[in-house]
Amino acid sequence: MNYERYFSENKDQHLSELMEILSIPSISALSDYSSDMIRAANWFASQLIHAGMEYVEIHLTDGFPIVTADYLHAPGKPTVLVYGHYDVQPVDPLPLWTTPPFEPEIRDGKLYARGATDDKGQLFLHIKAVEAILKQEGTLPINIKFCIEGEEELTSPNLPSFLEEHQQMLAADVLLISDMAMLEKGRPSITVGLRGVCSLEVSVRTANSDLHSGLFGGGVPNALNALVSLLASLHDKAGKVTVEGFYEGVPEITPSMRAEVVEMNHDEEGVRKSLGLDALYGEEGYSFIERVGVRPTLDFNGVYGGFQGEGLKTVIPREAHAKISCRLVGEQDPQDIINKITRHLEDSIQPGAKLFVKSGFQVPAFRLDSKNVFLQLAADAYEEVYGIRPLFTRDGGTIPVVEMFSRIFQAPVVLMGFGLPDENLHAPNEHFNLENFDKGLLTITSFLKRL
């Protein structure tokens, strides 16, 4: 079967369909878009039906619907479960978009829209690959199931219970996800490690009201001063986290891991220039790839308090707040890390200030042996289409469902990304390179047939 010709002949139709779903503002974080979330779930259900999938169902949850489907006509052959999500990130700041985020536009070989690469565009590839095989051959060479949710950008709060309740329906030999990036243009990669994550919100409170800085300044605790001092105590000047026990369970970087990094031939200077930075920064003794792939982090995601308006208001704020997240590796336990950070903050708080800590989401790190047969078949498929064998990499991001699926179903997870690092996911002007749209369809088709 000539799949390259098939996808070429149907490209305009496929892109038109993709633009339909990219036009739906399925922002799970904002309640104003709840009806659009339902529209997006229905759209994917109809696409699965059109592709030839069977038993397509829309399952209601306490949040947004989960869409499932299957095609089970290959007894004795592997069963693949494809996961993806139809929800997207908010679009702020809107003025930085060249074109409206939900009015898809193709420019310079790239499709611009919110969700183009994360994750509607990449999920769409799987549906079209399955549709192509069914149309060309009348059946699938393997068994396949889909599970598509609408709360990934909210850390999937309702998915764990759904998976537990539907283990038998969703059971598979391998999980297939495309929700990540390749190394760079023309250089495919397969992710075999993901950092975990935990988060917490910190509040510092002092007096019972804001105070005049002339009447009270220098004589009472200042919530912002106390918070900034507290946050500064979490790192040393070399970029290392100072929380006692933070690095327990973090594996040492082996010579073979360092050799893999060298093989990537990563352009750190190119990263610096593309970001408009004078210098990169991070934990001393490690390369950029090591810092963002196999080392843990502690980052401030938001700090606020006091007067936020235009001009100056000379007050001493009574409260200040910070949002903190940590990327975790190895055996670091998310709750244990939160506990250790909390103890550090409690021991370091200034006199007269009160500390309040609220725990957030928690996801353990994930690792998989690159020698796994499913991963090697995926590498074969990439090599066939891209003409180069992919590298097995460790990704600095966190995909909560990966660890979740692996634990619940005890099955390997194949992470086949077709995005690129510079496609602005979660940022203005998100886009998807159409070269990887074309090659992604061929790669997924090859992988399914190789199974």
Side-chain angles (χ1 to χ4, degrees):
M1 301 294 177
N2 191 328
Y3 283 96
E4 188 169 0
R5 184 175 64 189
Y6 171 87
F7 287 124
S8 177
E9 291 174 348
N10 289 276
K11 183 174 181 176
D12 289 345
Q13 176 62 31
H14 291 167
L15 286 176
S16 175
E17 292 171 1
L18 177 55
M19 288 182 176
E20 286 180 12
I21 184 59
L22 293 177
S23 299
I24 299 177
S26 49
I27 304 174
S28 55
L30 303 177
S31 59
D32 288 347
Y33 296 92
S34 295
S35 61
D36 295 302
M37 293 293 296
I38 305 302
R39 288 174 58 206
N42 287 328
W43 188 92
F44 271 105
S46 66
Q47 275 288 313
L48 289 167
I49 293 171
H50 177 74
M53 295 295 293
E54 300 174 340
Y55 300 104
V56 179
E57 294 185 69
I58 298 177
H59 305 264
L60 300 181
T61 72
D62 290 337
F64 297 114
I66 294 174
V67 182
T68 63
D70 63 40
Y71 190 93
L72 310 175
H73 297 285
K77 303 297 181 181
T79 298
V80 180
L81 175 60
V82 177
Y83 165 84
H85 63 94
Y86 60 84
D87 64 323
V88 300
Q89 283 278 325
V91 299
D92 308 273
L94 189 59
L96 296 184
W97 286 81
T98 302
T99 53
F102 297 108
E103 296 180 17
E105 179 174 290
I106 295 175
R107 303 194 302 273
D108 301 321
K110 302 171 183 178
L111 175 57
Y112 285 82
R114 173 60 90 223
T117 188
D118 181 22
D119 174 46
K120 292 176 180 178
Q122 296 198 63
L123 171 60
F124 184 76
L125 297 178
H126 291 276
I127 297 176
K128 290 299 148 182
V130 168
E131 179 182 302
I133 297 174
L134 284 171
K135 285 191 173 183
Q136 294 277 87
E137 304 184 28
T139 189
L140 296 179
I142 43 88
N143 304 296
I144 195 160
K145 301 175 180 180
F146 279 84
C147 179
I148 303 172
E149 68 152 328
E151 298 178 317
E152 194 273 347
E153 302 295 0
L154 303 176
T155 69
S156 306
N158 290 291
L159 188 62
S161 59
F162 180 83
L163 297 181
E164 295 283 1
E165 294 170 9
H166 297 85
Q167 277 194 56
Q168 185 173 355
M169 181 183 78
L170 296 173
D173 299 296
V174 59
L175 173 67
L176 179 58
I177 300 177
S178 294
D179 190 15
M180 62 285 302
M182 305 192 305
L183 277 177
E184 59 186 35
K185 183 179 175 63
R187 296 192 68 196
S189 57
I190 297 175
T191 304
V192 294
L194 292 166
R195 290 193 291 187
V197 66
C198 67
S199 69
L200 56 157
E201 295 184 35
V202 177
S203 297
V204 172
R205 294 172 190 159
T206 52
N208 55 13
S209 70
D210 289 352
L211 300 171
H212 190 290
S213 66
L215 297 177
F216 292 94
V220 297
N222 180 314
L224 266 177
N225 289 1
L227 178 65
V228 171
S229 174
L230 203 56
L231 298 181
S233 74
L234 291 169
H235 296 88
D236 64 18
K237 292 183 178 180
K240 187 174 182 178
V241 177
T242 56
V243 174
E244 184 177 353
F246 182 83
Y247 291 96
E248 291 175 2
V250 175
E252 291 297 321
I253 298 180
T254 63
S256 63
M257 291 170 66
R258 282 239 152 92
E260 290 176 356
V261 171
V262 172
E263 187 179 359
M264 291 180 193
N265 193 28
H266 189 265
D267 183 8
E268 291 196 9
E269 181 63 10
V271 171
R272 183 193 68 78
K273 289 181 178 178
S274 70
L275 298 176
L277 294 171
D278 294 329
L280 298 177
Y281 177 79
E283 188 181 3
E284 286 186 0
Y286 300 94
S287 68
F288 174 81
I289 286 293
E290 291 167 345
R291 290 170 182 164
V292 303
V294 296
R295 294 297 292 172
T297 66
L298 189 157
D299 284 306
F300 309 133
N301 309 123
V303 179
Y304 53 100
F307 180 63
Q308 304 292 310
E310 183 179 357
L312 177 66
K313 182 180 181 182
T314 54
V315 297
I316 297 174
R318 67 175 295 269
E319 61 181 62
H321 311 273
K323 296 178 185 290
I324 299 173
S325 67
C326 299
R327 298 291 175 168
L328 310 177
V329 300
E331 302 302 321
Q332 285 181 301
D333 177 76
Q335 185 59 58
D336 178 59
I337 293 298
I338 289 175
N339 293 342
K340 288 173 176 174
I341 294 172
T342 301
R343 283 197 295 271
H344 176 98
L345 297 174
E346 290 172 342
D347 292 341
S348 305
I349 189 73
Q350 287 183 1
K354 297 178 182 178
L355 177 72
F356 300 86
V357 177
K358 178 182 177 182
S359 298
F361 45 83
Q362 303 176 35
V363 181
F366 169 80
R367 290 171 293 174
L368 189 64
D369 186 354
S370 62
K371 296 182 177 64
N372 180 277
V373 62
F374 292 112
L375 293 179
Q376 290 299 321
L377 289 173
D380 293 341
Y382 270 119
E383 187 171 16
E384 175 189 343
V385 176
Y386 283 84
I388 182 173
R389 196 158 186 84
L391 292 175
F392 292 100
T393 62
R394 294 166 178 81
D395 195 296
T398 304
I399 307 177
V401 298
V402 172
E403 185 277 335
M404 191 188 309
F405 273 98
S406 178
R407 171 172 42 83
I408 292 174
F409 294 105
Q410 296 295 299
V413 183
V414 177
L415 299 170
M416 299 179 72
F418 297 98
L420 292 177
D422 62 354
E423 289 180 335
N424 290 6
L425 65 164
H426 291 204
N429 298 314
E430 178 181 348
H431 58 276
F432 191 21
N433 281 259
L434 295 184
E435 177 185 343
N436 288 327
F437 179 87
D438 298 334
K439 290 184 175 181
L441 288 166
L442 292 170
T443 303
I444 294 169
T445 302
S446 174
F447 177 58
L448 296 179
K449 291 177 67 63
R450 287 173 184 274
L451 288 176

